[in-house]
Amino acid sequence: MIQYIVLLPLLAAAIAGLGNKALGKLPAKIVTTGALFIACALSWATFIPFLTGHAEATVTPLFTWIESGSFDAQWALRVDTMTAVMLVVITSVSSLVHLYSWGYMDEEPDQPRFFAYLSLFTFAMLMLVTANNLLQMFFGWEGVGLASYLLIGFWFRKPSANAAAIKAFVVNRVGDLGFMMGIFGTYLVFNTISIPEILAAAPSMAGSTIGFLGYRFDTMTVLCLLLFVGAMGKSAQLGLHTWLPDAMEGPTPVSALIHAATMVTAGVFMVCRLSPMFETSETAMHVVTYVGAATCLFAATVGTVQTDIKRVIAYSTCSQLGYMFFAAGVGAYGAAMFHLFTHAFFKALLFLGAGSVIHAMHHEQDMRYYGGLRKSIPITFWTMTLGTLAITGVGIPLVGVGFAGFYSKDGILEAAFAAGGPGVGAYYVGVFAALLTSFYSWRLVFLTFFGKPRWTQSEHIQHALHDAHGHAHDHHAHGHDDHAHAAHDHGHGHDDHHAHDAGDGHATDGTGGYHPHESPLVMLVPLLVLSLGAVFAGFVFHDQFIGPEGGVEFWKGALFFDSHLMHAAHEVPTWVKFGPFTVMLTGLLIAWLAYIKNTDWPQRFVATFGALYQFLLNKWYFDELYNFLFVKPAFAIGRFFWKFGDVGFIDRFGPNGLAALVVQGNKITRRLQSGYLYTYALVMLIGLAAAATWAMTR
C-alpha cells in the first residue's frame, strides 16, 4: 500500500508535466487530483490501525540505491506511527489544495504545469517522511526545496516572484549545508546512515568527543546542532526565516500546501524522528528550545503590524513553528507532533480562506481595503472564524473542551513549564506570543469581515469596475511594499494572479457599486472539510498524541516519548493552565477595542510609538542587516572578479590579448606577401644563408 501512496503523486506529476498543454487542462487536473485523493484514502487506511493500536512499524525495501564498501544505501519505505501521522497530514491537505485550485486557478492558462508542480512537491514530501535512512531523507528534503522553488516562482515572468523563489532556494541552501555536514558526521561516527541503527546506537555515544574545526567537542552535540541548522532553514527559524514571508509571491494554494502544512514542518519532523539523538545532548536541546522560543516571539510581534492578509498568516506559521521546536527542545516530542498535526488543518484552512477572500475582492490582498465582508461571503467568514478560534486556542481549561489549538498549543506550554530550566522561560515567551497571536488573528477577522466596506479605495476594485463598464484592461497584479505608507496604514499587497474581468463571479451595478460574491463550491468544500479538523482534531486525538499512557501505546518508540514529563504537564498549577486562556481573551479584547470600538487607536499607536512600529514593520531589520552583511559584499566581490579578474586580466591577456597579438603579427607578415618573385627569392636566399651559417657554427 505504501508504494501506491508515494508513487501515485509522482506518476500524476509526470503525466501532467510531460503532457502539459497537449494533454489539456481538465485531464491534467483530473489525473493529479484523482491520484491525490486515492493516496489520501490509502493514508487514512494506514493511519487508523496505528490509532487503534493494531499496527506495527514496517519497512518495505524497493531496491539498492548505492553500495560501496561499507556504505550501503537501500531505497526502502518506512511506515511507523510518525510516518502514518505525516502521511495523513500531507495527502489530506494536498488533495484538498488540488481540489481548491480547480476554482482558484480556473483562468490560469498554464494549469497542467501548476498541478504537475503540486503533485511533484507532494511526492518529494512523502519521500522525506517515509525515509529509512538519512540519504533518502535528504533526497526528499532537496526535492521539496526544488518543488517549492518552482511553485513560488510559478509566475516566472514577474520579477518579484523570481526574486522570492531564488531567496527561498538560497536561504535553504545555507541550512542544507548544515544538514549535509550533520549527515556526513553521523556516518563518520556510526558508520551507517540507517536511521534505526543510528538511533539504537546513539545512547552509547553520549559523553564521547569529536574533532571539529580544530577543537574537541561533545560528539552528539556537534551532530545534533549541525542537523538542527538544516531544520532551521527548512522550517524558517529565526536567522534563516527571511524566505518564508516572501514566498507568499506564489499562488495562494501554494502557500496553503507548502508554507502551512507540509514543507515547513519537515524540520520539526526531522528533529522528532531523530529525538533519541537529541536526548543525548542537553546543550543541543537547550539550543532548540531557545531558537524555537525566539522565533515564536519574533514572528508574533511582526505579525501584529502586517496588512497583507497572506503575510499575517505567514508570520503566524513562523510563530507556530517556534512552538513546535521549543516543545521538542524540552523533550515533549509528542506535543510537537500534535501541534504539527492540528496546525496543518487550521493553518491550511486560514490560507485557503484568505484565498477565498482575495478571490472575492478581485485579488486585493490588503486588509485595509476590505471590511463588512461577512454578509457577502458568509461561508468563508464562518470557516475562517473557526480557523481563528482554533489557532488562538479557544477552550475551557480544566473542563478540557476546546478547538484544536487549545489542546495542542496548551499541551506544549504546560509541558514546557513542567520541564523546568529553559522550558519555564519558553512557557512565558509562549504565553506572550499567544497574546499576540490572539490579537493579530482577530485583527484579521475584524478588518476583513466587520466594519464599513472600504472597497472603493482599492486600486484593484477600481480596475474591476473599469473592466465592467466595457473598457479593456489587461494587467498583472503586483505586490507592493507597505513601507511608504506605513504611518497612514495605507498601502497595497496583492496576490500576483492574473487579473480577472467582470465575468469571474463578481457583480457590478450600473452605479459603479461592487458586490463581492462567495467562491465557487469547488473552493468552499475544502474549507468545510478543513473546518472539521480545526474543530475536532484536538479533542479526538489528544490522548493518543500527548496522553501519559495513551502516548506510549500510540507512538510505540517512533519517537522519544517521556511519559513522566507528560504526567507532570497534566499536573501543573491551575494558574499555568489558565495563562493561555487569559491571554487569548485579552488579545481578543484588545483587537475588538482597536478595530471595532475605537478605530482611531491604531493611528494613535503609530503616532505615539512610531519607532517601535517601524521596527516591527521592517521585520526587525533582518533583511536590511543581511543585505549589508552578505548581499552587498557578495556583489562587490563579484564585481571585482568580473572587472579586474575576468575582463581586466583573463580577457586582456587571454582571448583578447592573443587575438590582438595575432592581428599585429599579421600586419607585419602581410608586408612580406608582395607578390613579386624577386622578393620571395631574396627571402629564400636569406634563409639558406642563415641555415648554412648555423651548420658551420655547429
Side-chain angles (χ1 to χ4, degrees):
M1 185 184 297
I2 185 61
Q3 300 97 314
Y4 296 107
I5 296 173
V6 173
L7 297 178
L8 272 174
L10 176 63
L11 178 62
I15 294 172
L18 297 176
N20 210 315
K21 294 182 180 179
L23 181 65
K25 296 179 183 179
L26 185 60
K29 292 192 288 188
I30 291 174
V31 168
T32 52
T33 307
L36 259 297
F37 271 95
I38 293 172
C40 179
L42 295 176
S43 297
W44 278 97
T46 302
F47 174 67
I48 290 173
F50 282 98
L51 194 65
T52 57
H54 295 96
E56 298 293 334
T58 61
V59 177
T60 305
L62 297 182
F63 54 86
T64 298
W65 189 9
I66 302 173
E67 194 171 10
S68 177
S70 62
F71 184 80
D72 183 20
Q74 298 291 325
W75 201 287
L77 305 178
R78 179 177 184 80
V79 180
D80 57 12
T81 308
M82 279 194 69
T83 307
V85 169
M86 294 303 296
L87 291 178
V88 165
V89 168
I90 295 165
T91 57
S92 297
V93 173
S94 183
S95 59
L96 292 173
V97 166
H98 275 73
L99 180 62
Y100 179 94
S101 299
W102 281 52
Y104 193 86
M105 304 293 288
D106 183 54
E107 295 191 5
E108 169 60 47
D110 207 0
Q111 289 182 48
R113 179 167 64 93
F114 178 77
F115 281 87
Y117 288 170
L118 286 183
S119 294
L120 177 65
F121 171 85
T122 307
F123 161 73
M125 192 68 198
L126 290 170
M127 286 303 310
L128 191 159
V129 300
T130 57
N132 196 47
N133 62 61
L134 292 177
L135 192 59
Q136 189 179 333
M137 181 182 285
F138 188 72
F139 171 83
W141 194 270
E142 294 302 297
V144 293
L146 169 64
S148 66
Y149 168 79
L150 296 173
L151 285 166
I152 295 167
F154 176 75
W155 285 306
F156 55 86
R157 291 183 178 86
K158 187 179 178 194
S160 60
N162 279 327
I166 292 171
K167 186 175 184 179
F169 202 79
V170 170
V171 173
N172 271 276
R173 297 290 71 73
V174 177
D176 292 349
L177 174 62
F179 191 35
M180 286 189 289
M181 293 176 66
I183 293 174
F184 297 152
T186 302
Y187 176 71
L188 179 68
V189 170
F190 295 98
N191 199 35
T192 181
I193 58 170
S194 170
I195 293 175
E197 294 179 17
I198 292 169
L199 300 185
S204 64
M205 296 305 299
S208 63
T209 60
I210 189 173
F212 183 67
L213 300 176
Y215 297 93
R216 303 294 298 184
F217 296 101
D218 180 77
T219 302
M220 298 308 296
T221 298
V222 171
L223 298 182
C224 291
L225 290 180
L226 288 173
L227 293 169
F228 179 60
V229 170
M232 288 177 63
K234 197 65 72 183
S235 294
Q237 293 300 283
L238 190 65
L240 296 178
H241 67 280
T242 54
W243 66 271
L244 184 61
D246 294 63
M248 297 302 106
E249 287 287 343
T252 299
V254 172
S255 304
L257 178 62
I258 298 180
H259 309 111
T262 50
M263 176 179 138
V264 293
T265 59
V268 180
F269 169 82
M270 185 262 284
V271 170
C272 291
R273 169 66 85 194
L274 303 179
S275 52
M277 286 183 67
F278 281 83
E279 282 294 315
T280 62
S281 171
E282 185 179 45
T283 301
M285 297 280 284
H286 288 176
V287 170
V288 174
T289 303
Y290 293 135
V291 171
T295 305
C296 181
L297 177 63
F298 156 77
T301 59
V302 176
T304 59
V305 299
Q306 299 300 306
T307 54
D308 183 314
I309 189 171
K310 286 175 64 177
R311 283 181 178 261
V312 174
I313 305 173
Y315 278 108
S316 171
T317 297
C318 194
S319 181
Q320 299 304 308
L321 288 166
Y323 279 104
M324 299 176 206
F325 273 109
F326 79 66
V330 301
Y333 303 101
M337 289 299 297
F338 189 28
H339 198 51
L340 184 158
F341 182 78
T342 60
H343 175 264
F345 293 104
F346 60 70
K347 188 52 64 67
L349 171 60
L350 289 171
F351 263 119
L352 296 185
S356 182
V357 172
I358 293 167
H359 182 269
M361 295 302 294
H362 206 273
H363 299 277
E364 173 63 74
Q365 290 181 214
D366 195 318
M367 298 185 297
R368 295 164 297 186
Y369 297 142
Y370 293 166
L373 287 174
R374 68 185 186 280
K375 296 178 181 178
S376 303
I377 47 175
I379 298 177
T380 300
F381 163 64
W382 284 111
T383 53
M384 285 200 73
T385 300
L386 291 175
T388 303
L389 292 169
I391 193 173
T392 56
V394 173
I396 306 174
L398 303 182
V399 176
V401 177
F403 291 83
F406 166 73
Y407 293 95
S408 58
K409 186 159 68 174
D410 285 25
I412 288 175
L413 293 172
E414 291 165 12
F417 186 87
V424 177
Y427 168 81
Y428 289 111
V429 170
V431 167
F432 182 65
L435 168 67
L436 300 178
T437 301
S438 180
F439 169 74
Y440 66 65
S441 298
W442 289 112
R443 170 178 175 265
L444 184 153
V445 171
F446 294 148
L447 281 174
T448 303
F449 297 107
F450 291 85
K452 295 180 180 179
R454 302 179 295 276
W455 315 328
T456 55
Q457 305 170 38
S458 168
E459 178 186 351
H460 273 196
I461 303 304
Q462 293 304 315
H463 286 323
L465 295 174
H466 191 235
D467 292 345
H469 287 97
H471 302 284
H473 186 78
D474 182 22
H475 74 286
H476 293 275
H478 297 277
H480 303 299
D481 200 341
D482 295 334
H483 296 181
H485 306 291
H488 300 290
D489 229 13
H490 189 78
H492 304 284
H494 308 303
D495 192 345
D496 25 298
H497 194 288
H498 293 49
H500 290 48
D501 59 25
D504 66 353
H506 308 303
T508 58
D509 58 29
T511 63
Y514 186 78
H515 303 287
H517 277 191
E518 188 63 272
S519 298
L521 189 62
V522 75
M523 293 172 64
L524 295 179
V525 168
L527 296 181
L528 296 171
V529 174
L530 289 168
S531 297
L532 296 176
V535 175
F536 297 112
F539 174 76
V540 173
F541 300 110
H542 74 279
D543 186 59
Q544 286 86 353
F545 277 86
I546 59 175
E549 287 79 26
V552 174
E553 183 64 25
F554 176 66
W555 291 110
K556 294 182 178 178
L559 50 69
F560 183 88
F561 188 83
D562 189 346
S563 59
H564 298 292
L565 175 60
M566 300 319 297
H567 265 297
H570 284 76
E571 296 170 358
V572 294
T574 303
W575 66 267
V576 173
K577 293 178 180 290
F578 271 90
F581 175 78
T582 304
V583 297
M584 177 272 296
L585 290 179
T586 304
L588 169 59
L589 178 62
I590 295 172
W592 181 81
L593 289 172
Y595 294 96
I596 300 295
K597 181 71 172 175
N598 303 300
T599 54
D600 63 330
W601 277 19
Q603 291 182 351
R604 290 166 58 187
F605 177 86
V606 172
T608 306
F609 302 100
L612 174 62
Y613 178 77
Q614 287 297 325
F615 179 71
L616 298 180
L617 193 67
N618 287 280
K619 302 155 288 191
W620 292 24
Y621 292 100
F622 269 99
D623 283 321
E624 289 79 1
L625 178 64
Y626 287 177
N627 186 58
F628 176 77
L629 292 178
F630 304 116
V631 177
K632 287 185 176 179
F635 274 101
I637 293 171
R639 281 193 298 270
F640 172 80
F641 282 113
W642 169 39
K643 293 289 187 181
F644 297 98
D646 192 14
V647 176
F649 185 81
I650 296 175
D651 286 351
R652 181 181 179 186
F653 297 105
N656 295 346
L658 290 176
L661 185 64
V662 170
V663 169
Q664 292 299 322
N666 285 341
K667 289 181 179 179
I668 297 172
T669 57
R670 186 174 59 192
R671 297 176 181 176
L672 300 176
Q673 305 299 323
S674 64
Y676 294 110
L677 182 62
Y678 62 79
T679 302
Y680 299 142
L682 176 62
V683 172
M684 293 174 62
L685 181 62
I686 293 173
L688 288 172
T693 302
W694 178 79
M696 288 188 293
T697 55
R698 294 281 295 174

